[in-house]
Amino acid sequence: MVAMKKSFVIALCNVVVVLHFVGSSTVVQACTPSDRAALLEFRAKLKEPYIGVFDTWKGQYCCNGWYGVSCDPNTHRVAGITLRGESEDPIFQRAKRSGLMIGSISPAICKLTSLSTIIIADWKGISGGIPNCITNLLFLRVVDLVGNRISGVIPANIGRLQRLKVLNFADNQISGGIPTSITRLTSLSHLDLRNNNVTGVIPVDIGRLKMLSRLLLTGNKISGQIPESLTRIYRLGDLELAMNRITGPIPASLGKMSVLATLNLDGNLVSGEIPGTLMTSSISNLNLSGNLIVGQIPNTFGPRSYFTVLDLSKNRLKGPIPASITAASFIGHLDVSHNHLCGKIPAGSPFDRLDATSFAYNDCLCGKPLGNCGK
């Protein structure tokens, strides 16, 4: 009898444990009614009838099985919305032939006060503005709206998002200037505003963004000079400012940045001479094409010079191609066409594998791969 009682107690305990586990699982699945209501209000402003992205947005448990929704397991509050129009997931393979998401980003998203991630990317058809109220979502770490038709301006108080690490508004129709408050985002590592209609200047104190590793502003209408403070961002690896209206000289201190690997100033109004520091720097992809740069190509190449791309074309450079360029450890693509260069093209690498287009439209360059130099 005693043994039977003990067995019953053990079995009862096991049942309690199982029931506790089931109950805990149910709690994990749940989300707050207010977050669920906010998600449905957000969803109401978007139309995506072909792929079925929102087919799973049903029932009470938005933390469990709602596509693209993630929650904090401790608070059961919505922490992330991730909706990508370009995905390897089979659910998106019909998009190219069936249609894409349209609509706008509802201010209801701001009711999700625990959000740390907003990714609504590559749908091509989402329009409207960026809700100003997102600057109240102080837990945000990632805001990625790339590849839509979003217009209007960047919220002026974007600098309130002190935890923000990624801000990506590329490939939209955003206008207005870069808010000065953006320089308060001291945790920001990735800023991408490429291919918009952004105007104005780069904030003069952008150097405050000490964690920034990528600054991508290509394809806008940005004017003014490259701020000197930018060269003090010691983590900066990629600086792309091409196809803007940037003026003034290239700061020589860009060539002293320890990890800068890409510097693209193509298609601006940059003037002055090329700093010699750029030729022996950490930069491996240097594109200065299509500017108003004068003077000579610096004769400062050496064993530390390593370029996958060196494009100096379509400027106002004069004089010879410097002899020291043959001392570079590697030059992959070289283009000095459309300048006023003159003299004999150096022999040896990389010149022995380049074609004539790399040297075309200069005043009087000669030698291989162009014609022989006269006596």
Side-chain angles (χ1 to χ4, degrees):
M1 179 64 73
V2 172
M4 290 178 63
K5 287 183 177 179
K6 287 183 177 178
S7 297
F8 176 77
V9 170
I10 292 171
L12 182 62
C13 289
N14 288 338
V15 170
V16 170
V17 169
V18 170
L19 289 174
H20 176 72
F21 177 79
V22 173
S24 298
S25 178
T26 302
V27 171
V28 170
Q29 293 175 9
C31 62
T32 64
S34 61
D35 277 7
R36 179 180 178 277
L39 283 171
L40 292 176
E41 191 176 347
F42 161 79
R43 186 257 178 275
K45 291 289 186 180
L46 298 170
K47 295 180 180 179
E48 191 288 290
Y50 303 108
I51 306 172
V53 169
F54 296 116
D55 287 354
T56 58
W57 286 37
K58 299 174 182 177
Q60 300 299 313
Y61 303 121
C62 60
C63 289
N64 183 43
W66 284 33
Y67 190 92
V69 176
S70 59
C71 295
D72 185 315
N74 298 312
T75 64
H76 317 301
R77 301 296 304 274
V78 175
I81 297 176
T82 301
L83 302 173
R84 292 190 184 274
E86 297 289 340
S87 172
E88 296 300 321
D89 194 313
I91 196 173
F92 291 95
Q93 298 309 306
R94 293 186 302 237
K96 294 179 181 178
R97 61 179 183 271
S98 300
L100 296 172
M101 189 183 296
I102 60 173
S104 61
I105 300 174
S106 169
I109 201 171
C110 303
K111 297 178 182 179
L112 301 168
T113 54
S114 295
L115 271 182
S116 62
T117 299
I118 300 174
I119 301 175
I120 307 169
D122 296 314
W123 291 104
K124 307 296 190 290
I126 296 176
S127 57
I130 303 165
N132 283 317
C133 60
I134 70 165
T135 61
N136 297 325
L137 300 176
L138 302 183
F139 293 103
L140 279 177
R141 295 177 182 272
V142 176
V143 178
D144 185 349
L145 306 179
V146 63
N148 289 290
R149 296 180 183 174
I150 294 169
S151 57
V153 301
I154 300 170
N157 292 328
I158 197 77
R160 296 187 66 216
L161 303 178
Q162 292 291 297
R163 292 178 172 86
L164 203 62
K165 293 181 178 295
V166 175
L167 184 61
N168 188 351
F169 294 151
D171 300 320
N172 279 285
Q173 299 171 6
I174 292 169
S175 58
I178 301 172
T180 56
S181 74
I182 211 166
T183 63
R184 297 204 294 269
L185 301 177
T186 52
S187 296
L188 197 66
S189 62
H190 181 105
L191 176 58
D192 191 348
L193 305 179
R194 286 176 294 180
N195 302 321
N196 280 284
N197 296 309
V198 177
T199 56
V201 302
I202 301 171
V204 66
D205 56 348
I206 197 165
R208 295 173 62 186
L209 303 180
K210 299 299 184 184
M211 303 300 291
L212 200 63
S213 62
R214 305 193 77 199
L215 178 58
L216 312 176
L217 305 178
T218 290
N220 284 285
K221 300 174 182 177
I222 296 169
S223 57
Q225 298 189 18
I226 301 170
E228 187 72 30
S229 72
L230 189 151
T231 68
R232 295 194 288 273
I233 306 177
Y234 68 93
R235 293 174 180 264
L236 192 63
D238 296 306
L239 177 59
E240 297 189 9
L241 308 178
M243 308 307 294
N244 279 289
R245 300 171 181 175
I246 292 171
T247 57
I250 302 169
S253 47
L254 280 173
K256 299 177 182 179
M257 298 177 70
S258 59
V259 298
L260 187 65
T262 297
L263 176 60
N264 190 349
L265 303 179
D266 174 32
N268 279 284
L269 301 170
V270 174
S271 57
E273 299 187 359
I274 300 173
T277 54
L278 296 187
M279 300 309 163
T280 55
S281 67
S282 61
I283 299 170
S284 59
N285 185 341
L286 179 61
N287 190 342
L288 307 181
S289 176
N291 281 284
L292 306 175
I293 298 171
V294 298
Q296 298 190 8
I297 300 173
N299 193 20
T300 55
F301 292 86
R304 291 185 58 193
S305 307
Y306 184 101
F307 293 99
T308 55
V309 173
L310 178 58
D311 193 342
L312 309 178
S313 64
K314 299 176 184 176
N315 279 288
R316 300 176 180 179
L317 296 169
K318 60 183 181 179
I321 297 174
S324 67
I325 198 169
T326 59
S329 61
F330 178 77
I331 298 179
H333 172 78
L334 174 68
D335 192 345
V336 295
S337 64
H338 296 271
N339 278 288
H340 300 290
L341 300 175
C342 197
K344 186 176 181 179
I345 298 172
S349 180
F351 304 99
D352 52 4
R353 54 179 171 76
L354 297 173
D355 59 37
T357 59
S358 296
F359 308 98
Y361 300 101
N362 276 286
D363 286 359
C364 48
L365 281 180
C366 61
K368 187 180 179 180
L370 299 179
N372 292 329
C373 298
K375 294 182 180 180

